[in-house]
Amino acid sequence: VGFPWKYFLSNAGQSPLTILGDSYPIECSHLMDLHHVSGHLCVLELSGLSDSATRICLELLERDLPILRTLKLSRSAKRDASMDDPDVTLSRLARVPELRYLRLYGFQLAFEPITSSIPLLHLELSHRVASHSKLQSLLPILQGLQSMQYLERFTTCFLPDAGEEDRALRDRVSLPHLESLRLSERDERSIVLWGSLLLPPSCAIDVSYRSSSAYGHNLLLSLVRDYVS
């Protein structure tokens, strides 16, 4: 694998690079080589990332990525279960000017209020419930979504618990270009997040949850009535 990989990178020149594949058979040294061509990465899609490969990818995100348009990273199911999923900060993604498609499996996107706009079109997130220890409210997610006004597709699961302060939220976040919203949770937090968003009537909504609370049931009925009216 080493020779063709080195040959490919050394002969790519200034051409935009598309890197796709399962990182498991790729040695970490080969991933390290991507640091030297970060300025030419246009598409990076890697699945089955080991813990060591994950660290290299996080280091890569600290480099300049001026033309990166698509980033899809998925960690191995065999990753260390005792560790929280690592953070990818929203402020760091704001410094990737061309990023339009982001999918993170086994990472936690660290939502935070930022002043700059992030021109993402597609955002897909999935991480372990254990990572909720870092995020105890839906409010940071809503603050982060305020910077993604061009978002067209948003999919997520394993949201933080919806506390009383989340239920009391009055200011809704507008996502005027959203075409698809997919939320999957075991309780009412997906309903609370949906209720905190102002969406166009053409948006397709797919919300899965299991809850017996009167609050969740009544909120869902209210949202469905508003959606079909």
Side-chain angles (χ1 to χ4, degrees):
V1 177
F3 173 74
W5 174 254
K6 296 284 188 181
Y7 181 83
F8 167 74
L9 289 182
S10 63
N11 285 273
Q14 302 297 312
S15 302
L17 293 174
T18 294
I19 307 293
L20 311 173
D22 188 324
S23 72
Y24 179 76
I26 302 176
E27 296 180 10
C28 288
S29 61
H30 298 153
L31 291 179
M32 286 295 297
D33 291 335
L34 296 180
H35 287 212
H36 305 300
V37 296
S38 61
H40 313 304
L41 283 176
C42 182
V43 176
L44 180 61
E45 298 184 17
L46 296 173
S47 60
L49 290 168
S50 65
D51 290 338
S52 56
T54 295
R55 286 191 291 270
I56 294 173
C57 288
L58 291 174
E59 293 169 1
L60 178 64
L61 292 181
E62 294 302 318
R63 304 183 71 89
D64 288 335
L65 299 162
I67 66 169
L68 184 66
R69 186 172 179 84
T70 298
L71 177 63
K72 298 181 180 181
L73 300 176
S74 177
R75 296 179 67 209
S76 170
K78 298 180 180 179
R79 60 187 184 270
D80 188 348
S82 66
M83 302 292 291
D84 274 337
D85 289 337
D87 284 346
V88 175
T89 64
L90 205 60
S91 56
R92 177 64 193 95
L93 295 177
R95 302 198 300 274
V96 185
E98 298 300 320
L99 189 62
R100 298 295 182 268
Y101 303 90
L102 177 64
R103 184 178 69 195
L104 298 174
Y105 286 4
F107 296 83
Q108 178 164 278
L109 183 57
F111 283 95
E112 56 194 317
I114 60 175
T115 56
S116 56
S117 175
I118 300 178
L120 277 177
L121 300 179
H122 293 194
L123 176 59
E124 187 173 348
L125 305 171
S126 178
H127 57 82
R128 287 187 309 219
V129 180
S131 291
H132 290 172
S133 59
K134 299 181 181 179
L135 193 59
Q136 300 296 336
S137 169
L138 294 175
L139 184 58
I141 294 179
L142 294 170
Q143 291 173 331
L145 288 175
Q146 286 180 328
S147 65
M148 304 180 191
Q149 293 298 299
Y150 299 101
L151 202 62
E152 296 177 354
R153 295 180 180 274
F154 179 37
T155 299
T156 187
C157 60
F158 299 141
L159 293 165
D161 292 329
E164 292 298 327
E165 67 277 14
D166 294 316
R167 295 181 179 184
L169 291 173
R170 290 292 179 266
D171 295 330
R172 303 171 74 185
V173 175
S174 177
L175 296 175
H177 302 285
L178 202 70
E179 300 173 357
S180 173
L181 175 68
R182 299 187 65 185
L183 306 174
S184 178
E185 275 303 334
R186 64 182 183 276
D187 54 31
E188 66 194 31
R189 69 192 76 174
S190 56
I191 305 299
V192 175
L193 180 57
W194 176 16
S196 302
L197 301 175
L198 188 60
L199 306 175
S202 58
C203 180
I205 299 174
D206 183 352
V207 175
S208 301
Y209 90 112
R210 299 186 299 274
S211 175
S212 58
S213 74
Y215 174 81
H217 179 71
N218 292 335
L219 179 58
L220 177 61
L221 290 178
S222 174
L223 290 171
V224 170
R225 280 196 297 266
D226 291 343
Y227 182 66
V228 300
S229 63

